[in-house]
Amino acid sequence: MAGGLLSPSEHSAGGVVVRGTDCIVIVPTRRAASGAKVLALPKGHVDPGETPLQAAAREVREEAGVETEPLGELGAVRYWYMRNGKRIAKQVDFFLFAYIGGDIADHDDEVEQASWMPLSEAAERLTYDGERGMAARALSQITSDE
């Protein structure tokens, strides 16, 4: 990089919450750069002093309104995006969670809608490629456990 300066970076965490072979997907109030609605997995910034797993569980609770139990790591999605003319490196660590309870209608105001969707459908319909990959990975993990 020019002058040896590192690009700013961000770290987030999220979850694929499963109940059987269904998972929770959200439509955030924030739109894509094109202005289109986004179909996504619950995720958000890792706060200081928080582990990625703790952040993922908190974000799932806030954005999807449900309580969960962690089942394991799914992996990380890495990408770059532009904000205010700066190139930002972003990593999102994803975890697999089992649904325990709660109501998807209890999501926070950053989410327009939360809903259950078959994992196989989420693996095709989520807006971002990395998240489609996480849904596919979750599906292969839960179906190989049966």
Side-chain angles (χ1 to χ4, degrees), residues 2-146:
L5 295 175
L6 293 175
S7 293
S9 64
E10 294 181 355
H11 188 198
S12 291
V16 177
V17 179
V18 295
R19 180 181 67 185
T21 55
D22 290 346
C23 72
I24 295 175
V25 296
I26 62 168
V27 176
T29 54
R30 180 177 288 169
R31 301 289 184 243
S34 67
K37 283 188 180 186
V38 171
L39 186 65
L41 296 169
K43 63 186 171 299
H45 291 286
V46 177
D47 289 338
E50 206 175 34
T51 67
L53 178 58
Q54 290 167 332
R58 176 182 50 76
E59 288 292 341
V60 163
R61 193 170 45 257
E62 291 172 2
E63 294 189 347
V66 298
E67 294 300 322
T68 59
E69 178 181 357
L71 298 175
E73 290 183 48
L74 289 171
V77 175
R78 293 175 182 84
Y79 58 93
W80 296 88
Y81 73 95
M82 297 294 287
R83 184 175 59 220
N84 302 327
K86 288 192 165 89
R87 191 169 184 235
I88 313 256
K90 177 115 182 191
Q91 175 173 317
V92 185
D93 296 322
F94 280 97
F95 298 87
L96 183 61
F97 291 96
Y99 169 79
I100 294 176
D103 186 340
I104 56 174
D106 290 337
H107 59 75
D108 67 15
D109 60 7
E110 292 179 12
V111 173
E112 195 172 295
Q113 178 184 0
S115 56
W116 288 99
M117 175 182 285
L119 265 169
S120 57
E121 189 177 333
E124 294 177 6
R125 290 194 45 216
L126 287 164
T127 299
Y128 301 114
D129 185 52
E131 293 188 18
R132 289 193 301 270
M134 291 298 141
R137 194 174 288 179
L139 181 60
S140 74
Q141 278 192 23
I142 64 169
T143 55
S144 69
D145 290 345
E146 292 176 358

